[in-house]
Amino acid sequence: MLLTLAGGALFFPGLFALCTWALRRSRPAWTDSDCLMISTRLVSSVQAVLATGSGIVVVLSSCSDVVNGRHWLAREYVWFLIPYMVYDSYAMYLSEWYRTRDQNHGHSTTFRNFLSQNRLMITHHAAILFVLVPVAQLKQQHTLLYKVNGILTLTTFFSCRILLFPFMYWSYGQQQELSLLQVPFNIPFFCNVANAFLIAPQIYWFYLLCRKAARLFDTPQAKKDG
């Protein structure tokens, strides 16, 4: 755990510094702000590739218990992710400071502007650090926070992954003055087929989430009676 945490703390800032140095050497015409922005995005891309690769390894690995099973890579990568979230927040602020330093803003003004312009990303990073990490590492499935997080996950998944499709049909119907039920018969057939292929796995994944939620909210007495 500590080794993974230390590795992330060295890897991401080190890669950022290396990318910035390489860009300054290879692109002397670029400003410091340009070099920092590109470096930040390069490191973010590397993290995305590592996270995706880890997810693929975890998914493809055999697991006898899909609900309670734990893969060592999923556990360790959470610790590897903590330094990235801290680094990325600082790197984004550093890019903002270099971008606006010619305007003679102090650090306090730049910081306020940074929070105002990146509130969604900062909220995302903070949620991972203060919600995801404790839930994933401390096995707090019994806590109210974990259950509230589960409800929010179900709600957002259903709204953004499933309701999106009827909403698209409804929006098209509003534009063409058609009812929702008339839309499938007034668009190309392949559109319906493509949407069916897209929504089918979403429904299946939502079903799996609901099954896990049902187990989460199962009371000991209900398990005993069952």
Side-chain angles (χ1 to χ4, degrees):
M1 178 185 72
L2 293 178
L3 185 61
T4 305
L5 194 66
L10 292 173
F11 176 76
F12 291 114
L15 181 60
F16 175 73
L18 179 63
C19 291
T20 304
W21 174 81
L23 288 172
R24 283 172 172 168
R25 289 285 301 269
S26 61
R27 296 290 187 271
W30 286 11
T31 65
D32 288 339
S33 176
D34 292 334
C35 294
L36 290 173
M37 179 185 67
I38 298 300
S39 297
T40 302
R41 293 179 179 179
L42 286 173
V43 176
S44 296
S45 298
V46 170
Q47 195 283 135
V49 171
L50 292 175
T52 302
S54 300
I56 292 173
V57 171
V58 172
V59 169
L60 295 180
S61 299
S62 59
C63 182
S64 57
D65 189 345
V66 297
V67 175
N68 299 311
R70 294 289 184 272
H71 194 284
W72 68 268
L73 184 56
R75 182 180 61 252
E76 290 298 319
Y77 196 84
V78 172
W79 291 108
F80 190 66
L81 188 65
I82 293 174
Y84 169 76
M85 291 300 166
V86 177
Y87 142 79
D88 194 50
S89 299
Y90 175 73
M92 289 191 299
Y93 169 73
L94 192 63
S95 299
E96 176 69 14
W97 186 79
Y98 269 93
R99 187 180 67 84
T100 60
R101 62 176 179 174
D102 292 338
Q103 301 175 16
N104 295 322
H105 290 165
H107 277 285
S108 59
T109 301
T110 303
F111 186 69
R112 286 197 300 269
N113 293 337
F114 168 71
L115 291 179
S116 176
Q117 297 172 7
N118 299 275
R119 62 171 64 93
L120 187 60
M121 185 62 72
I122 297 300
T123 302
H124 166 266
H125 284 27
I128 289 179
L129 286 174
F130 299 114
V131 177
L132 174 63
V133 171
V135 167
Q137 293 298 326
L138 301 181
K139 299 182 179 180
Q140 296 181 350
Q141 291 89 339
H142 62 284
T143 63
L144 177 62
L145 177 62
Y146 189 92
K147 294 179 179 180
V148 170
N149 180 70
I151 293 173
L152 291 175
T153 300
L154 285 175
T155 303
T156 54
F157 189 97
F158 183 73
S159 301
C160 300
R161 295 283 189 98
I162 296 178
L163 286 184
L164 172 66
F165 291 90
F167 176 75
M168 288 191 303
Y169 277 61
W170 176 83
S171 299
Y172 180 81
Q174 293 294 302
Q175 181 180 340
Q176 301 296 325
E177 297 183 352
L178 298 170
S179 69
L180 178 61
L181 296 178
Q182 290 176 317
V183 171
F185 304 101
N186 288 272
I187 61 175
F189 177 72
F190 72 86
C191 291
N192 291 318
V193 174
N195 285 327
F197 273 106
L198 289 173
I199 197 174
Q202 313 299 332
I203 294 175
Y204 175 69
W205 292 329
F206 183 71
Y207 164 72
L208 294 181
L209 287 173
C210 289
R211 283 187 59 184
K212 186 168 184 178
R215 292 193 181 191
L216 179 64
F217 287 92
D218 234 0
T219 61
Q221 184 62 38
K223 292 181 179 179
K224 183 178 180 180
D225 294 340

